[in-house]
Amino acid sequence: MHAAASQSEIVKSTKLSKLYAGKAVVNKLDLTIDSGCFCGILGPNGAGKTTTLRMLVGHCPMDSGELSILGLAMPENASLVRESIGVVPQMDNLDADFSVEENLYVYGRFFGLSSVVLKERTKELLEFASLEEKAKCKISELSGGMRRRLTLARALINKPKLLILDEPTTGLDPQARQAIWQKLRELKKQGLTLILTTHYMEEAERLCDRVIVMDQGEIMADAAPKELIKGEIESHVLEVHAASEALLEQLRCDSSIARFEKSGDICFFYGEKLNHALEVLEESSHDDYLFRPANLEDVFIKLTGRDLRE
Amino acid sequence: MSKLARVWLFLARSQSIWSRHIRVWSKLAGPSLMGNFGEPVLYLLVLGYGLGQFVGEVEGLTYMAFLASGVACTSAVNAASFEGMYSAYTRMEVQQTWLGMLATPINVGEVVFGEILWAATKSLISVSAILIVSMVLGLIADGWALFILPVAFLTGLCFASLALVVTSSAKSYDFFLYYSTLFITPMVLLSGVFFPIDTLPNAVQWLSKVLPLYHAISLVRPLMTGGELTSVFLHLFVLATFGSAAATLATYRIKKRLIR
């Protein structure tokens, strides 16, 4: 039997690497995620987020390094590990041929769960996903938000210890997104360990108690969202839109400006107070500007740059 | 885990995939069965009566009786091939059903074997329909015809595995036309479905004898018409060998495609 090394370390990787065509997509990743943590992984497209998640479920053989999930070495124990994890994939792959409840039932059968157990869990999960009314509906009759909730419910059919979500709210409207957030918070409260990738900074900021910023297969930053904002970036940002060169020149005279960036016709001034710059703007007739506290997106842009990733 | 327990688990997981497929099929069973019954009826009646007038007896059988066993084997081939190509590809790429299964304890080998089992079941359903039609048309000699069913299943296993090898390299549905046109159709034409192969040149006869369909027909025809069965083990061996080699290759290639 496989002895569980440490139940508090749900994920542990050392120097985990994956290469495609000689290029490291995940580069010597050292990562430990403890039980009960809600961990968000942020990064531009191609940063290695999805590849990392695929390695966690054993869908991607590693090129070097070590990985253990729930104390079991991967990828040898992939099948055993998957008995105790739930996956919400980026692309919906619900069974269009089945009703809502059949989707849960058939998926549960893949885990070898008995009909009796599944009957009970299906009921619980439909309630959890607020889909009781839709139990008999076809998938094509569900809205995008309902489908995502069903995918989430399906990922919980085996009562997992770790839930992996790859961009769970992409393409949803704000109401549907908030509904998913609320479900995820409930799960976190129940003690589940969650790993989520997202492009929505707000999502990570609100949900996660730990945020990892990845780029080019490496970890750029790793801390609680508030600490990241505190530690990685100045406290405030002044965004000035479509300003004349002369005005910008005046603004830059503010000695409290720590950093200045230009992107298209928007200028970003980073600093603590920026009193002088704000006064200049008050006096000028230019009113297209925004002074705000720095957020996770500013951290993200600082760490990964403003260039488009395609 | 003991070896026996592993085999048991493998079969149980493959079976859960098979159950999923049969559940989908049962929702659309009406039109599907209509096809299973309708096509052989048309083939047997039109070709059997129409062409039979000109052909007369073949190997001591009415042409319709001769044709029935060929049509049964061809339908086993077609049912399994279609399922192993178009349907499997849909689940692999378009609907990503396999990826969903692979997020559970199920492994690629179990997905592939579940698909093969299901495709062979489709062959079994289709051949059963043909046997019923043949019985109604008085083309079945005796109870030995029941042994056609396991042969049909084995034929299905064999051609499902071959089809999955093709699917493992497919980039789109169009790719399957290569296999259908360059392999399946010539094989059907040359394996003794429509006429006995001893009319063909020697080299062509040899070619058809190394392909699996000929061996399926060699078993099914005597079982259906009360003829004498010869080289039973050789025929079974060829079907089983093609099937297991193809299943192994398909599993290896699909694993390479999905787990990368």
Side-chain angles (χ1 to χ4, degrees):
Chain A
M1 281 311 288
H2 318 270
S6 162
Q7 276 302 336
S8 73
E9 281 177 356
I10 300 289
V11 175
K12 184 166 175 59
S13 81
T14 18
K15 295 203 161 44
L16 187 65
S17 297
K18 178 70 192 177
L19 291 93
Y20 285 119
K23 190 176 170 285
V25 180
V26 171
N27 196 6
K28 297 185 187 131
L29 199 70
D30 287 317
L31 180 64
T32 306
I33 296 174
D34 288 330
S35 178
C37 177
F38 196 149
C39 178
I41 303 180
L42 302 178
N45 284 333
K49 304 183 299 286
T50 300
T51 306
T52 306
L53 295 192
R54 290 181 61 233
M55 285 202 267
L56 298 186
V57 288
H59 285 178
C60 174
M62 56 192 86
D63 285 305
S64 62
E66 277 169 31
L67 173 66
S68 72
I69 313 284
L70 301 161
L72 298 166
M74 293 288 274
E76 322 60 298
N77 295 303
S79 181
L80 194 59
V81 163
R82 288 201 296 265
E83 281 179 18
S84 308
I85 59 181
V87 180
V88 176
Q90 206 173 77
M91 187 188 147
D92 254 331
N93 59 3
L94 292 165
D95 236 316
D97 299 298
F98 294 142
S99 70
V100 167
E101 65 180 359
E102 274 182 305
N103 258 284
L104 295 175
Y105 177 83
V106 170
Y107 207 69
R109 296 293 289 165
F110 295 151
F111 287 91
L113 299 169
S114 75
S115 304
V116 184
V117 171
L118 284 173
K119 216 171 166 186
E120 200 176 310
R121 286 201 194 163
T122 301
K123 200 168 158 274
E124 285 168 17
L125 287 170
L126 286 176
E127 197 187 312
F128 169 79
S130 320
L131 288 169
E132 301 108 308
E133 313 269 289
K134 299 281 174 188
K136 306 275 181 214
C137 286
K138 279 187 173 173
I139 300 306
S140 55
E141 296 164 31
L142 301 185
S143 69
M146 289 174 182
R147 281 180 211 206
R148 285 271 98 181
R149 266 157 32 220
L150 179 57
T151 307
L152 176 61
R154 192 184 68 169
L156 298 170
I157 197 86
N158 56 325
K159 297 211 169 184
K161 296 189 182 108
L162 167 65
L163 185 64
I164 293 174
L165 309 112
D166 197 2
E167 298 185 22
T169 64
T170 298
L172 296 186
D173 65 28
Q175 286 84 352
R177 177 173 302 152
Q178 299 227 354
I180 295 276
W181 288 352
Q182 191 209 325
K183 306 292 173 203
L184 294 181
R185 270 193 220 104
E186 259 176 66
L187 293 171
K188 150 96 182 153
K189 243 185 239 163
Q190 289 168 23
L192 197 67
T193 309
L194 296 103
I195 302 176
L196 150 144
T197 70
T198 181
H199 285 303
Y200 301 108
M201 301 298 143
E202 192 196 353
E203 183 162 291
E205 210 167 334
R206 288 194 183 197
L207 291 175
C208 303
D209 33 38
R210 177 177 170 195
V211 168
I212 293 169
V213 181
M214 271 184 92
D215 197 14
Q216 295 173 356
E218 292 179 24
I219 294 180
M220 313 293 290
D222 177 358
K226 284 215 176 79
E227 281 169 37
L228 272 185
I229 299 167
K230 224 191 211 161
E232 295 282 342
I233 200 160
E234 302 75 16
S235 69
H236 285 79
V237 186
L238 173 65
E239 288 181 29
V240 184
H241 300 232
S244 67
E245 270 308 317
L247 180 61
L248 288 179
E249 208 45 57
Q250 267 183 292
L251 292 174
R252 279 161 114 168
C253 291
D254 189 332
S255 57
S256 65
I257 292 172
R259 225 151 41 81
F260 164 77
E261 267 176 24
K262 195 167 177 176
S263 169
D265 69 343
I266 310 176
C267 289
F268 296 84
F269 300 91
Y270 298 89
E272 304 304 318
K273 294 222 163 74
L274 308 177
N275 284 337
H276 173 72
L278 285 170
E279 267 168 37
V280 170
L281 281 166
E282 290 271 310
E283 283 160 22
S284 76
S285 56
H286 191 87
D287 59 359
D288 196 1
Y289 69 91
L290 177 66
F291 183 62
R292 58 173 176 80
N295 58 33
L296 201 53
E297 186 145 346
D298 300 310
V299 177
F300 184 81
I301 295 283
K302 183 186 172 195
L303 292 171
T304 61
R306 286 194 185 272
D307 298 335
L308 277 179
R309 307 297 179 87
E310 275 152 347
Chain B
M1 213 188 293
S2 74
K3 201 152 191 180
L4 191 68
R6 263 175 220 276
V7 171
W8 186 247
L9 192 61
F10 181 91
L11 290 176
R13 286 179 181 162
S14 304
Q15 190 270 336
S16 72
I17 288 164
W18 179 87
S19 305
R20 182 246 168 226
H21 294 340
I22 203 156
R23 189 181 266 264
V24 176
W25 178 83
S26 67
K27 289 180 190 269
L28 308 159
S32 180
L33 281 173
M34 204 271 294
N36 290 144
F37 279 98
E39 271 211 3
V41 172
L42 289 174
Y43 264 98
L44 288 178
L45 289 182
V46 174
L47 287 182
Y49 270 122
L51 205 53
Q53 302 279 335
F54 299 97
V55 178
E57 287 203 339
V58 181
E59 291 183 338
L61 303 164
T62 65
Y63 186 59
M64 210 193 283
F66 177 87
L67 189 63
S69 43
V71 167
C73 292
T74 310
S75 88
V77 170
N78 287 338
S81 303
F82 185 89
E83 200 63 28
M85 294 192 291
Y86 294 88
S87 307
Y89 184 80
T90 305
R91 294 192 275 267
M92 175 172 76
E93 285 292 326
V94 185
Q95 298 183 339
Q96 308 233 328
T97 317
W98 289 3
L99 218 55
M101 293 167 175
L102 292 172
T104 74
I106 289 173
N107 292 313
V108 174
E110 291 147 353
V111 171
V112 170
F113 193 62
E115 291 290 337
I116 293 173
L117 278 182
W118 166 241
T121 307
K122 289 284 288 261
S123 297
L124 192 61
I125 295 170
S126 156
V127 172
S128 304
I130 294 173
L131 288 186
I132 292 169
V133 170
S134 305
M135 201 167 68
V136 172
L137 294 173
L139 304 173
I140 285 179
D142 51 38
W144 281 93
L146 275 180
F147 285 96
I148 292 172
L149 296 178
V151 176
F153 192 72
L154 179 63
T155 308
L157 291 177
C158 174
F159 282 94
S161 307
L162 289 167
L164 281 164
V165 174
V166 179
T167 303
S168 71
S169 318
K171 297 267 186 292
S172 73
Y173 291 111
D174 299 318
F175 185 75
F176 299 128
L177 285 173
Y178 286 115
Y179 178 70
S180 308
T181 315
L182 299 177
F183 181 71
I184 296 286
T185 307
M187 181 185 67
V188 168
L189 291 174
L190 297 176
S191 291
V193 173
F194 300 105
F195 54 86
I197 67 163
D198 44 25
T199 56
L200 293 168
N202 248 331
V204 182
Q205 281 190 42
W206 272 107
L207 178 69
S208 77
K209 282 179 184 172
V210 293
L211 297 178
L213 178 58
Y214 167 81
H215 298 275
I217 293 178
S218 302
L219 291 166
V220 170
R221 190 157 282 147
L223 284 170
M224 201 156 174
T225 58
E228 196 192 340
L229 272 170
T230 50
S231 330
V232 175
F233 289 106
L234 171 72
H235 299 317
L236 292 175
F237 175 78
V238 173
L239 287 168
T241 308
F242 263 94
S244 37
T248 311
L249 182 62
T251 304
Y252 170 78
R253 293 190 46 94
I254 290 170
K255 195 168 182 175
K256 255 189 121 174
R257 178 169 176 150
L258 298 178
I259 311 292
R260 65 192 157 77

